Amino acid sequence: MSTIEKAMGEFHHTPPKKDVPEEHIAPVEAVAAPVAPAPAAKKTGKKEPFKDSSRIIPINNSLLESLGMINNGTSESERQIKDEFRLIKHKLLKKAFSPEEAHKPTANKRNLIMVSSANMNEGKTFVSINLALSIANERDKTVLLIDADVLSPSIGDTLGFGNEMPGLTDYLLGNVGDLRDIIYPTTVPDFRVMPAGSSNNMSYELLSSGKMAALMEEIASRYTDRIILLDCPPLLGVVETVTLSNLVGQAVVVVEQNKTKLGDIKQAVSLLNSEIDTGFVINKAVQKAGHGYGYGYGYGYGSKDSKK
């Protein structure tokens, strides 16, 4: 049994049963079981008025391809990464929109998903962007990707638009009054981005503020078809990341194969809100691909749902 499998086996979160009739508690699904796409949700509310074309963030397909990310290519490696993130995406969407999940304590936050890792440089931003691109391909869903790693933002640098645009911290500080001014469209339909914003010495503290909690509640309920992904700071050493787990309904913990230590995984997951659904993405899991070896991405909830 690998280090990752051991960790996943020890951290399967089951919602408390004291207030939930036993017949309403959904069984844990096996990773091998096919996952049906989430039911269609009607788009409601008014979209942000993106009349200013200068605010549109270009998503460069060649850049995505060079980074090994989901793009419009047709190569075998592109097909593989699309398939792997499609599997991960469908599990998250099912948790977010399935009526079977409506009884859970975090039901009203199911479309708020934090992506983090135990430590830095374990692939959380790579996973966040690929998940966003994959969800944007759904015909009846939109996705908002928030760079919540406010002291070490990576989304702007990775996608090539930099870190100068007003974003999350500017809104939380009150320097930007209208939420629409920090949500930017991209050239990928149904894919929106909220940059980290200006850095200051209180950036992390802003994540645990009452205004942040109000923001999460507002964007979660404004559109019934929207998934909000938060690329968060690492869990170990940043108390505010742990606080964010109280504001979301799902957490994705990115674990780098053969790098992330078992003890770090245990500690990181133990810090999360026990009522949220916590899954693992196994980043850079070596697998046989054609005549060589490539990287794969496994996802699961607990020991029964481990893939790699």
Side-chain angles (χ1 to χ4, degrees):
M1 180 178 291
S2 71
T3 297
I4 308 305
E5 289 171 325
K6 291 177 182 177
M8 292 173 70
E10 296 194 23
F11 291 108
H12 173 57
H13 289 312
T14 302
K17 297 184 180 181
K18 62 180 180 180
D19 297 324
V20 183
E22 184 174 351
E23 62 271 20
H24 290 168
I25 299 176
V28 178
E29 58 178 344
V31 72
V35 180
K42 295 182 178 179
K43 292 179 183 265
T44 61
K46 295 181 179 180
K47 294 291 184 183
E48 296 87 352
F50 298 126
K51 297 180 180 179
D52 183 359
S53 60
S54 66
R55 297 187 67 244
I56 299 177
I57 295 174
I59 303 298
N60 187 307
N61 193 66
S62 296
L63 175 62
L64 294 177
E65 185 176 8
S66 70
L67 296 172
M69 291 184 169
I70 291 175
N71 59 81
N72 294 329
T74 58
S75 67
E76 176 63 22
S77 60
E78 166 65 5
R79 184 200 61 78
Q80 179 180 329
I81 194 171
K82 281 181 178 177
D83 287 347
E84 289 173 330
F85 275 95
R86 186 178 291 117
L87 174 62
I88 299 170
K89 167 186 67 177
H90 282 164
K91 289 179 178 291
L92 295 171
L93 292 179
K94 184 175 182 180
K95 292 285 184 181
F97 297 109
S98 172
E100 299 171 0
E101 303 290 323
H103 68 278
K104 292 188 175 181
T106 57
N108 63 328
K109 305 174 183 177
R110 291 177 296 166
N111 60 337
L112 286 167
I113 305 171
M114 65 181 295
V115 182
S116 186
S117 56
N119 304 294
M120 295 178 61
N121 302 318
E122 292 178 339
K124 64 181 183 61
T125 298
F126 181 86
V127 170
S128 296
I129 294 174
N130 277 304
L131 275 176
L133 290 168
S134 185
I135 292 170
N137 284 330
E138 292 288 304
R139 293 190 176 186
D140 57 357
K141 299 290 182 289
T142 60
V143 60
L144 171 62
L145 177 59
I146 300 177
D147 195 340
D149 197 349
V150 290
L151 280 184
S152 300
S154 300
I155 291 174
D157 286 339
T158 303
L159 293 179
F161 62 85
N163 296 309
E164 303 303 318
M165 305 169 77
L168 177 60
T169 56
D170 301 290
Y171 179 80
L172 296 177
L173 286 167
N175 297 332
V176 174
D178 194 330
L179 182 58
R180 293 174 296 182
D181 291 336
I182 61 168
I183 297 178
Y184 299 83
T186 73
T187 50
V188 175
D190 297 323
F191 178 23
R192 311 283 188 256
V193 174
M194 183 185 295
S198 305
S199 178
N200 65 78
N201 58 2
M202 295 294 289
S203 292
Y204 275 161
E205 285 77 6
L206 291 172
L207 297 179
S208 58
S209 67
K211 192 168 184 178
M212 181 66 177
L215 171 62
M216 291 297 97
E217 183 175 351
E218 179 180 356
I219 61 178
S221 59
R222 179 176 289 191
Y223 304 112
T224 59
D225 68 321
R226 172 171 286 176
I227 286 287
I228 299 94
L229 293 175
L230 294 92
D231 183 25
C232 294
L235 285 160
L236 299 183
V238 184
V239 175
E240 289 75 18
T241 310
V242 178
T243 302
L244 283 175
S245 73
N246 296 316
L247 307 181
V248 302
Q250 301 187 63
V252 174
V253 179
V254 179
V255 177
E256 184 169 341
Q257 181 75 32
N258 299 324
K259 176 182 176 182
T260 310
K261 297 178 180 178
L262 175 60
D264 288 348
I265 303 170
K266 290 180 177 180
Q267 184 180 356
V269 180
S270 69
L271 297 172
L272 292 169
N273 178 359
S274 61
E275 291 185 336
I276 66 177
D277 290 301
T278 301
F280 297 82
V281 167
I282 306 175
N283 185 27
K284 298 184 180 179
V286 177
Q287 60 183 19
K288 194 71 180 290
H291 298 291
Y293 286 86
Y295 287 143
Y297 304 88
Y299 185 70
Y301 294 93
S303 60
K304 292 184 179 180
D305 227 12
S306 59
K307 179 182 178 184
K308 294 184 178 74

